Amino acid sequence: MRKWILAELLLLVLVGAGLFYYLTIPETVPASALPARTADLANGKTMFLAGGCSSCHATPGQDDKLRLGGGLGLASPFGTFHAPNISPDPARGIGRWSEADFVTAMRYGTSPDGRHYYPAFPYTSYARMRTEDMRDLFAYLKTLAPVQDANKPHELPFPFSVRRGLGLWKFAFLNTQPLAPDASKDAVWNRGAYLVEGPGHCAECHSPRAPWGAIVTEKRFAGGPDPEGKGKVPNITPHADGIADWSVGDIASFLADGLNPSGDVVGGSMAAVVRNFGQLTAEDRQAVA
């Protein structure tokens, strides 16, 4: 009887290990899935600005926001993440990446060497982008100056330092389907929804999170504690404790100059968002609003 019980336990362990291995295999995009096309660099720049790439990846301590040497520390309840170098430097940036490598990172949160990226890189939103927009963004990044700054390792305690387990987190929470237009809404609304939910990844900061790090779905955009422990991120839903008294024009104007309807100037990390959105077209800011 004892031997039978031990055999059963061993079988359960083996089955569990096999299931864990299968469910945590990092997904990738094959190069064959990306037919030849001519990149739209202007659209790539739009995706760069809407995505706030420079806000995290610009080298700290210098004014050139296109110097994407990484290094910014992002505090979280799980430890400190350091934004990597995404300049086209071949040794320390993404200069040797293929287009498929980049789309794989954006869609599935998988690195070129087959490891899971942590969702501090907001691929949970970027995954909703159209593949064409990802490819344009990659082409735009390749036009920027290479930076030779070395990447800093993340500072994470066990078990968060074990990347393989992120496969289970992705299985539970990562939606890799591009955002589908809402046929009941007009083109302007759908453009805004795409910018907000995809490249703009607004919900990533403006939503509370469960203890396991996923956005609380029913409180999406309702604000919550700043993950870096610096106060609160505001509610941006059209409710009384949010921005119910803001007009569409108020929001569009705020995204352009950082002045809210009360005349106060935006501060903190939102100032960088305004700096980026202020460079988009007025039409795109209106759509977001």
Side-chain angles (χ1 to χ4, degrees), residues 26 28 97 101 104-105 109-117 163-164:
T28 60
W97 286 29
D101 288 336
T104 290
T110 302
S111 71
D113 61 1
R115 293 180 301 153
H116 293 297
Y117 281 126
R163 290 182 184 243
R164 187 75 186 201

Side-chain angles (χ1 to χ4, degrees), residues 276-289:
N276 293 324
F277 270 76
Q279 298 177 67
L280 296 179
T281 64
E283 291 77 14
D284 275 347
R285 288 193 296 271
Q286 186 78 6
V288 168

Side-chain angles (χ1 to χ4, degrees), residues 67-69 84-90 92-95 141 144-148:
R67 182 181 172 84
L68 305 179
N85 184 329
I86 60 166
S87 79
D89 183 76
R92 292 174 169 171
I94 61 173
L141 290 173
L144 303 180
V147 181
Q148 296 182 347

Side-chain angles (χ1 to χ4, degrees), residues 182-232:
D182 185 338
S184 69
K185 305 291 186 179
D186 62 21
V188 174
W189 187 96
N190 275 296
R191 172 65 173 176
Y194 179 74
L195 291 173
V196 166
E197 298 283 5
H201 62 281
C202 304
E204 302 288 347
C205 284
H206 286 279
S207 304
R209 293 181 181 270
W212 44 89
I215 288 174
V216 179
T217 303
E218 62 271 20
K219 295 184 178 180
R220 194 172 178 85
F221 298 111
D226 188 314
E228 295 194 49
K230 301 175 182 177
K232 294 184 177 181

Side-chain angles (χ1 to χ4, degrees), residues 46-263:
T46 295
M47 294 299 109
F48 177 84
L49 293 170
C53 304
S54 65
S55 299
C56 283
H57 294 280
T59 305
Q62 50 82 44
D63 295 329
D64 185 357
K65 300 306 179 184
L66 299 182
R67 182 181 172 84
L68 305 179
L72 179 69
L74 302 170
S76 81
F78 306 101
T80 299
F81 299 94
H82 292 282
N85 184 329
I86 60 166
S87 79
D89 183 76
R92 292 174 169 171
I94 61 173
R96 291 178 182 165
W97 286 29
S98 69
E99 202 174 36
D101 288 336
F102 186 78
V103 174
T104 290
M106 297 283 282
R107 178 80 66 213
Y108 295 116
T110 302
S111 71
D113 61 1
R115 293 180 301 153
H116 293 297
Y117 281 126
Y118 290 98
F121 164 39
Y123 54 78
T124 44
S125 289
Y126 293 154
R128 312 308 307 279
M129 293 172 62
R130 293 183 289 268
T131 300
E132 294 77 11
D133 288 338
M134 295 179 183
R135 298 176 74 181
D136 288 342
L137 172 57
F138 181 62
Y140 175 74
L141 290 173
K142 298 279 276 187
T143 69
L144 303 180
V147 181
Q148 296 182 347
D149 297 345
N151 289 319
K152 295 181 179 180
H154 300 316
E155 301 168 42
L156 307 174
F158 180 83
F160 306 121
S161 56
V162 181
R163 290 182 184 243
R164 187 75 186 201
L166 286 167
L168 294 179
W169 191 93
K170 290 180 180 179
F171 180 78
F173 303 115
L174 179 60
N175 181 354
T176 61
Q177 295 301 310
L179 187 70
D182 185 338
S184 69
K185 305 291 186 179
D186 62 21
V188 174
W189 187 96
N190 275 296
R191 172 65 173 176
Y194 179 74
L195 291 173
V196 166
E197 298 283 5
H201 62 281
C202 304
E204 302 288 347
C205 284
H206 286 279
S207 304
R209 293 181 181 270
W212 44 89
I215 288 174
V216 179
T217 303
E218 62 271 20
K219 295 184 178 180
R220 194 172 178 85
F221 298 111
D226 188 314
E228 295 194 49
K230 301 175 182 177
K232 294 184 177 181
V233 179
N235 183 330
I236 57 170
T237 65
H239 294 289
D241 57 348
I243 55 174
D245 56 346
W246 291 38
S247 68
V248 170
D250 289 336
I251 300 171
S253 177
F254 172 78
L255 293 174
D257 58 24
L259 288 173
N260 67 26
S262 299

